[in-house]
Amino acid sequence: MDFLSQFIPRYLLTKRNQIILVTSAAAFALFFIIVYQPFGVLQWGRERVSEFMFVIYSLLIVLLGMSIVAISRVIMYYRTKKHEISILNYAIWVFVELAIMAIAYTICSILADVQEDIWVAFKSALQNTSLILLIPYIICITAFTLQDKNERLRQIEDDFDKAVAQKMASKGLISFYDERGELQLSVTKDNLLYIESADNYIYIWYMKNNLPKRLMLRNTLKRTAESLAETNVMRCHRGYMVNMEQVKVLRREKENFYLELGIEGVKDIPVSKTYGDAVMKWLSM
């Protein structure tokens, strides 16, 4: 009972996941009806229908059922924005969806003169709707749960990487990771020069044995900037980040600004208008 009283995870109730669930249920329902031909669709009206009419009847059945599910999920979405829903209540909600769909299909079977016994028609409709809904529901909920766990794990890894980077930065080391989050380089802040973007790669320029060296790393400059937010390595251009402690001269050339690091073999780093104010503010401190 403790398990049933727990609240449904919020990720199952998001608008995106509710839409995916309804869409998946509709696709599976159409497949199920075309393959297994439940609800007596081939004998509606006591006559065997053509393939064209069979498709039409199948679409109508799916439309009817998914309309019920869609209305139910809209109500659930807005209700759960203000009130939590337990696992038990969620299970009851799904059972009510099944029951309403079964009643609707039973009425259709009676009106189409496919089945005269209401109870037999209802049991058959309930069995079919259970298969139509529960299979895609289980698949979607499992997929949503795995996706949430992967996102949580990725967030934990990102937080850990940031914590490690900050700790190493406090010791005078700046660390660089590839797109998979694997550590590729740690360099002292006194030896780091600048970072250059190259599409999905970055070039890390640093000093080694009094000579500038370059390491190519598969990652984006944007993500690198986020990981170095707590350091003095800052964005100065759409394609560059620079270790501000290495800057010796800010030079203006017509309408453009450049940062000089004063190291032989190291080019001047451009400063764009977008990042100019931040660079000027740092240099004036």
Side-chain angles (χ1 to χ4, degrees):
M1 290 302 295
D2 291 339
F3 171 75
L4 294 177
S5 63
Q6 295 178 14
F7 292 130
I8 287 289
R10 296 303 305 177
Y11 62 82
L12 293 180
L13 305 173
T14 63
K15 182 183 293 186
R16 171 185 174 275
N17 285 348
Q18 294 283 40
I19 292 173
I20 291 175
L21 188 140
V22 173
T23 304
S24 300
F28 182 82
L30 184 60
F31 167 80
F32 183 86
I33 291 172
I34 290 176
V35 173
Y36 295 101
Q37 302 165 5
F39 310 115
V41 291
L42 288 178
Q43 289 80 37
W44 278 20
R46 294 298 184 183
E47 295 181 3
R48 187 173 183 83
V49 300
S50 64
E51 291 184 1
F52 174 76
M53 291 306 300
F54 170 64
V55 172
I56 297 299
Y57 286 145
S58 299
L59 290 174
L60 290 175
I61 289 174
V62 172
L63 181 62
L64 173 63
M66 291 308 108
S67 296
I68 295 172
V69 173
I71 293 172
S72 170
R73 292 290 152 167
V74 169
I75 296 173
M76 177 185 287
Y77 173 74
Y78 284 104
R79 176 175 174 77
T80 53
K81 288 181 71 174
K82 298 181 179 180
H83 306 283
E84 298 283 357
I85 180 172
S86 67
I87 294 176
L88 177 61
N89 290 335
Y90 187 86
I92 294 173
W93 195 298
V94 172
F95 177 77
V96 172
E97 287 179 345
L98 293 173
I100 294 174
M101 287 179 64
I103 292 171
Y105 289 143
T106 299
I107 294 173
C108 290
S109 297
I110 299 299
L111 294 178
D113 201 22
V114 174
Q115 180 60 253
E116 295 180 355
D117 191 313
I118 296 178
W119 178 241
V120 172
F122 177 75
K123 287 197 298 182
S124 176
L126 186 60
Q127 179 182 1
N128 290 325
T129 52
S130 296
L131 291 172
I132 288 174
L133 276 191
L134 292 183
I135 291 178
Y137 274 19
I138 292 172
I139 293 174
C140 285
I141 290 173
T142 302
F144 297 154
T145 301
L146 290 175
Q147 182 183 39
D148 180 72
K149 287 184 177 180
N150 288 335
E151 290 178 354
R152 287 175 181 269
L153 180 60
R154 190 158 48 245
Q155 184 61 48
I156 291 173
E157 291 175 346
D158 289 343
D159 292 342
F160 177 78
D161 289 342
K162 289 180 180 179
V164 171
Q166 290 175 2
K167 186 173 182 180
M168 296 187 75
S170 66
K171 296 182 178 181
L173 286 173
I174 297 178
S175 300
F176 294 92
Y177 300 82
D178 62 17
E179 62 178 5
R180 295 173 298 180
E182 296 181 358
L183 178 65
Q184 297 296 330
L185 175 69
S186 288
V187 59
T188 63
K189 61 182 180 179
D190 293 334
N191 286 325
L192 179 63
L193 302 176
Y194 67 94
I195 307 163
E196 183 179 1
S197 175
D199 295 327
N200 293 323
Y201 291 84
I202 58 173
Y203 293 117
I204 303 168
W205 288 87
Y206 61 100
M207 296 297 293
K208 182 178 180 181
N209 298 326
N210 295 321
L211 293 174
K213 298 290 183 180
R214 185 182 75 172
L215 174 71
M216 185 174 72
L217 191 66
R218 186 172 179 84
N219 207 335
T220 64
L221 197 64
K222 179 180 179 181
R223 188 169 182 180
T224 303
E226 292 173 352
S227 67
L228 300 179
E230 303 300 323
T231 70
N232 288 324
V233 184
M234 61 185 297
R235 198 85 173 258
C236 62
H237 188 274
R238 183 167 56 94
Y240 292 91
M241 293 181 66
V242 66
N243 182 359
M244 296 301 295
E245 295 184 9
Q246 295 283 4
V247 175
K248 301 298 188 294
V249 176
L250 172 65
R251 185 183 84 252
R252 182 169 185 169
E253 194 172 294
K254 295 183 180 180
E255 297 299 322
N256 301 316
F257 286 92
Y258 295 89
L259 298 173
E260 297 182 12
L261 276 59
I263 299 174
E264 185 177 354
V266 176
K267 67 180 181 180
D268 298 340
I269 312 301
V271 179
S272 65
K273 294 181 179 179
T274 303
Y275 303 98
D277 290 342
V279 170
M280 298 295 183
K281 182 178 179 181
W282 194 97
L283 291 173
S284 64
M285 292 174 59

